[in-house]
Amino acid sequence: MSDDSSNNSTKKPASGAKTLRSQAWFGRQDKMGFYYRSFLKNSGQPQDRFDGRPVIGICNTWSELTPCNIHFRDLAEHVRRGVLDAGGYPLEFPVSSLGEVTMRPTAMLFRNLASMDVEEAIRAHPLDGVVLLMGCDKTTPALLMGAASADLPAIGVSGGPQLRGVYRGQIIGSGTNIISMSEQLRAGEVTLEQFHEAEAGMNRSSGSCMTMGTASTMASMVEALGMSLPENAAIPAVDARRNLLARLSGRRIVEMVNEDLKPSDILTRAAFENAIRALAAIGGSTNAVVHLLALAGRVGIDLTLADFDQLGRDIHCIVDLMPSGRFLMEDFYYAGGLPAVLRTLGERGLLNKDAGTVNGRSIWDNVATAPTWNPEVITPFDAPFKAEAGIAILKGNLAPDGAVIKPSAASPHLMVHTGRAVVFESVEEMHHAVNDEALDIDASCIMVLKHCGPKGYPGMAEVGNMPLPAKLLREGVRDMIRISDARMSGTAYGTVVLHVAPEATVGGPLALVKNGDLITLDVPARSLHLHVAPAELDARRAAWVAPEPHATRGYQRLYIDHVLQADRGADFDFLVGRSGSPVPRDNH
């Protein structure tokens, strides 16, 4: 049976229409054209699928090992319908899925690997554009980074946050209350039965963390950068409007292909400045710093840690969400979501209004009339939830290349503090010591954790928000200064200094800190100072021995050999920049 009404001759694009990349595979009338088309016909594809219509990849991070993305099969179907609505040819494909809750030693170790998977999959296949399905923390930056390096038209669709957690009539938030309740369990304030009961009530729908953790922060960054349709950040995963957004994104990517609107057209300096200011206004995760730095490196934007401080320093946090505040992402959506935040920034002259977005309009065109429905959740700029609470970048002799702290999640009384260092050389040593009644520590001390950076863990795990010593918890202590070269979960809170660069494993000053050294944290002055004489530091450095690498082969060895430091986004040195999507050689 013939599936073609035109004598098996592939239709040519209309006069003046763009010649699509996929036609290098499907538009040929020779042996290789037969080869490329015929195998796809085994799924019942008619000949007119190959007539010059845009071929759209649906890049799916569904996996049963990634619970946050478990609904992505359904989400992909809505994208598929949108692509078909607009006359495109959708082809779904899998890439590495990074499950934050299941992967060891840390999902961050594999972000760069997943980005390579995405980039090479896009380049190797007959695709004209791609829809990126992302949700769990590291899937978002990985897909953005890979798509930016390939630089085909791309649009992001986040999976959305879970519904509110509920425990005994109280609202609880993923991550944030895991931390608080685990500390309560250690202090003897809740029973193990209550602990298990809260587990069942916290994660009660599909979707990612419903706090303003890294997943929701990065979904907000996708929207603020202009790489998604408006409202992408906050629609709950189980809300029908999430499916509508997916379908509209499927329609829009076909138009983007026809317009040749690529990530390099959208991911400009102005877009990154908008994202940094939005990050401050929402009280977003510190993890966004390393991800935005890495993404900027892929598109050739000179973004530095100093930009986060300069652009975000005077921005008020106007979103009252856990871990910094009270509410959750479901409340944020009902209150107006990220468009309301961006409108507030724009009205204050804090938004690059002409920055482009994937729907072809400027970001200001998208948000200029966005309403705020609940001023308790999204507060007025003049009466902010927390004033001047953007990500703070610290420097000093302990962090010559920088460190980060999230003031909105920190304790005000610790923002300027000098304390005695209590040093842990490894995460294992730390976990043992915090339960040791003989540990020489009090609430005024500063906990210091080494060898948890990009090379040291490896992968820069979320262990920076160290648990407090059990004996201090029983005394009622709930926060202390903690300093490390690690990251912390975006759902976490506390006065925690992170991403110290250079890290201890490569011989940064953090490696030289000893028990009893005095350290001063001065957040208003953006300073992190170790009170040790230069001559003594020189002597310690001369005696320092670099640790043996954790791996001698495979991907982990590749990672250790090529990962950049946190202040450069912890990307691989050989992935900085982009290669585009030239059509590769034939495979036969």
Side-chain angles (χ1 to χ4, degrees):
M1 178 189 297
S2 174
D3 61 1
D4 180 29
S5 61
S6 57
N7 298 320
N8 290 323
S9 62
T10 300
K11 297 176 184 177
K12 296 181 180 180
S15 177
K18 175 187 173 185
T19 300
L20 298 173
R21 181 176 180 270
S22 59
Q23 285 296 289
W25 282 260
F26 298 141
R28 298 166 58 171
Q29 304 309 317
D30 57 8
K31 180 189 78 171
M32 293 310 299
F34 183 112
Y35 179 85
Y36 295 132
R37 291 186 298 271
S38 65
F39 281 90
L40 286 175
K41 289 183 178 181
N42 74 355
S43 61
Q45 300 295 341
Q47 179 69 21
D48 61 14
R49 278 286 190 269
F50 310 103
D51 64 3
R53 67 189 66 198
V55 178
I56 305 300
I58 303 174
C59 180
N60 198 343
T61 52
W62 175 89
S63 169
E64 289 186 333
L65 291 171
T66 308
C68 300
N69 298 9
I70 200 68
H71 58 302
F72 278 20
R73 281 177 165 171
D74 290 338
L75 201 65
E77 182 58 30
H78 291 284
V79 173
R80 179 187 304 278
R81 294 173 188 173
V83 173
L84 292 171
D85 288 346
Y89 175 18
L91 290 170
E92 183 180 344
F93 64 97
V95 291
S96 298
S97 187
L98 308 181
E100 193 69 28
V101 298
T102 56
M103 296 190 83
R104 291 187 175 189
T106 171
M108 181 64 175
L109 176 64
F110 305 102
R111 182 201 66 180
N112 298 345
L113 179 64
S115 80
M116 295 170 70
D117 188 3
V118 173
E119 176 182 352
E120 300 302 336
I122 291 173
R123 187 178 294 117
H125 289 100
L127 302 177
D128 302 304
V130 63
V131 179
L132 309 170
L133 297 187
M134 48 205 181
C136 193
D137 293 14
K138 308 307 175 293
T139 63
T140 299
L143 267 60
L144 284 179
M145 290 160 65
S149 292
D151 205 30
L152 277 182
I155 189 170
V157 177
S158 298
Q162 300 169 3
L163 297 178
R164 303 181 191 95
V166 181
Y167 166 67
R168 296 191 172 186
Q170 300 296 313
I171 299 301
I172 56 175
S174 48
T176 302
N177 286 112
I178 292 175
I179 297 165
S180 66
M181 291 197 73
S182 64
E183 298 287 58
Q184 288 176 304
L185 183 68
R186 293 176 63 230
E189 297 172 0
V190 299
T191 67
L192 190 59
E193 181 183 9
Q194 291 170 323
F195 196 65
H196 290 165
E197 184 182 343
E199 289 177 14
M202 181 174 290
N203 304 109
R204 62 190 186 93
S205 81
S206 58
S208 54
C209 291
M210 80 296 281
T211 51
M212 187 55 79
T214 303
S216 293
T217 297
M218 291 310 298
S220 298
M221 295 299 93
V222 174
E223 188 174 336
L225 286 165
M227 284 296 296
S228 73
L229 296 181
E231 300 190 346
N232 173 75
I235 303 172
V238 294
D239 191 311
R241 288 166 287 191
R242 175 64 59 184
N243 295 335
L244 173 61
L245 181 125
R247 186 164 188 157
L248 294 177
S249 298
R251 292 180 179 183
R252 178 57 192 158
I253 189 62
V254 176
E255 296 171 349
M256 289 175 64
V257 169
N258 292 329
E259 297 164 8
D260 199 26
L261 183 60
K262 303 184 297 295
S264 57
D265 300 314
I266 296 164
L267 295 173
T268 62
R269 171 77 189 191
F272 281 97
E273 290 180 355
N274 287 342
I276 290 172
R277 288 181 169 135
L279 176 65
I282 63 176
S285 168
T286 50
N287 288 312
V289 176
V290 288
H291 298 323
L292 289 175
L293 287 168
L295 180 61
R298 295 293 184 99
V299 292
I301 301 296
D302 184 19
L303 198 70
T304 67
L305 281 176
D307 291 317
F308 287 83
D309 209 286
Q310 179 185 352
L311 294 165
R313 182 167 190 159
D314 298 326
I315 304 293
H316 302 322
C317 178
I318 60 172
V319 179
D320 186 355
L321 260 61
M322 296 182 189
S324 301
R326 298 173 292 164
F327 298 102
L328 294 169
M329 286 297 292
E330 189 177 349
D331 306 296
F332 182 46
Y333 177 60
Y334 303 149
L338 194 71
V341 173
L342 296 176
R343 177 184 178 179
T344 299
L345 292 175
E347 290 173 341
R348 291 281 169 166
L350 298 170
L351 192 72
N352 294 311
K353 295 181 177 180
D354 293 333
T357 71
V358 291
N359 68 0
R361 306 172 70 197
S362 74
I363 197 160
W364 186 244
D365 287 339
N366 288 340
V367 305
T369 60
T372 298
W373 299 113
N374 188 339
E376 278 194 88
V377 178
I378 303 173
T379 63
F381 198 85
D382 290 334
F385 167 55
K386 292 187 178 181
E388 298 181 10
I391 301 293
I393 305 301
L394 310 171
K395 286 204 171 183
N397 68 342
L398 188 52
D401 292 337
V404 306
I405 189 171
K406 183 177 176 179
S408 66
S411 298
H413 72 280
L414 293 174
M415 300 291 269
V416 179
H417 181 79
T418 298
R420 170 173 59 89
V422 178
V423 178
F424 310 106
E425 295 291 333
S426 70
V427 69
E428 291 80 13
E429 179 185 328
M430 179 270 294
H431 281 302
H432 173 76
V434 294
N435 291 312
D436 185 353
E437 296 295 315
L439 180 65
D440 182 15
I441 194 169
D442 59 52
S444 70
C445 291
I446 295 177
M447 300 172 70
V448 177
L449 176 62
K450 302 179 183 179
H451 304 297
C452 294
K455 293 179 184 287
Y457 204 74
M460 202 181 176
E462 294 182 345
V463 296
N465 56 316
M466 294 169 256
L468 302 184
K471 65 180 182 179
L472 297 184
L473 287 173
R474 292 195 300 271
E475 295 173 7
V477 176
R478 290 297 179 265
D479 195 13
M480 295 173 64
I481 295 175
R482 287 155 279 180
I483 299 173
S484 74
D485 45 15
R487 298 177 300 112
M488 77 173 179
S489 168
T491 66
Y493 52 88
T495 311
V496 185
V497 177
L498 304 153
H499 309 185
V500 171
E503 64 178 298
T505 298
V506 300
L510 188 69
L512 310 179
V513 182
K514 291 186 176 182
N515 282 317
D517 290 346
L518 292 180
I519 297 173
T520 294
L521 169 67
D522 189 338
V523 176
R526 300 301 197 258
S527 174
L528 187 63
H529 184 73
L530 176 64
H531 294 274
V532 176
E536 171 62 17
L537 286 177
D538 289 342
R540 293 182 187 181
R541 183 171 299 284
W544 178 75
V545 177
E548 290 294 321
H550 283 262
T552 58
R553 63 172 297 280
Y555 173 72
Q556 287 201 23
R557 183 54 191 260
L558 175 75
Y559 185 96
I560 291 168
D561 287 347
H562 291 282
V563 70
L564 299 169
Q565 288 294 290
D567 63 302
R568 296 187 62 191
D571 200 1
F572 287 157
D573 50 15
F574 59 82
L575 290 180
V576 175
R578 63 176 180 268
S579 301
S581 296
V583 175
R585 292 173 171 174
D586 283 320
N587 54 23
H588 281 73

